[in-house]
């Protein structure tokens, strides 16, 4: 089981690194003047959560089918479960705009804090 934990940590880290690379590249290449760092942080946070959930799904499916005794079936089943979970989470994110809503919330809190600081400069 220790080997499975090590593999899952490595795969989860690799998956997040891959997704984070694309997020950062998209952020840096964006021409959107309203792009700010908090949007990038929120996007990376949401993607980290999705990566953890997908990795956990792969581990659970791998553990369930480990009784088959065929290593390749366990690996293939775990990878398939993780990939399918990733696609489902991404589809849900796009349908319900979870990332966009989180970005809007952070931007609102950021702007309200700035307004408070501006109004209370004398403090």
């Amino acid at each position: 089981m220790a080997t499975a934990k090590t593999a899952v940590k490595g795969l989860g880290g690799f998956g997040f690194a891959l997704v984070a690379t694309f997020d950062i590249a998209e952020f840096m290449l964006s021409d959107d003047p309203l792009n700010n760092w908090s949007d990038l942080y929120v996007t990376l946070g949401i993607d980290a959560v999705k990566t953890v959930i997908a990795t956990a799904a792969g581990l659970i499916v791998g553990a369930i089918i480990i009784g088959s005794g065929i290593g390749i079936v366990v690996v293939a089943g775990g990878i398939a479960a993780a990939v399918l979970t990733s696609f489902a989470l991404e589809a849900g994110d796009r349908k319900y705009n979870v990332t966009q809503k989180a970005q809007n919330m952070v931007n609102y809190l950021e702007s309200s804090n700035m307004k408070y600081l501006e109004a209370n400069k004398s403090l």
Side-chain angles (χ1 to χ4, degrees), residues 84-101:
L84 291 174
T85 303
S86 295
F87 282 126
L89 289 169
E90 188 63 30
D93 185 16
R94 290 180 190 267
K95 181 176 181 179
Y96 298 108
N97 295 321
V98 175
T99 301
Q100 186 62 46
K101 288 177 183 175

Side-chain angles (χ1 to χ4, degrees), residues 5-79:
K5 285 183 183 177
T6 305
V8 167
K9 286 180 185 176
L11 288 175
F14 175 74
F16 178 70
L18 187 63
V19 170
T21 301
F22 284 111
D23 286 341
I24 292 169
E26 182 180 355
F27 175 79
M28 295 302 225
L29 297 174
S30 174
D31 291 333
D32 184 8
L34 299 177
N35 235 2
N36 60 35
W37 287 99
S38 62
D39 288 346
L40 176 63
Y41 299 147
V42 169
T43 301
L44 290 173
I46 298 285
D47 286 344
V49 170
K50 289 192 274 188
T51 302
V52 167
I53 293 170
T55 303
L59 179 64
I60 290 168
V61 169
I64 289 170
I65 59 178
I66 205 162
S68 69
I70 303 170
I72 194 71
V73 173
V74 174
V75 172
I79 290 173

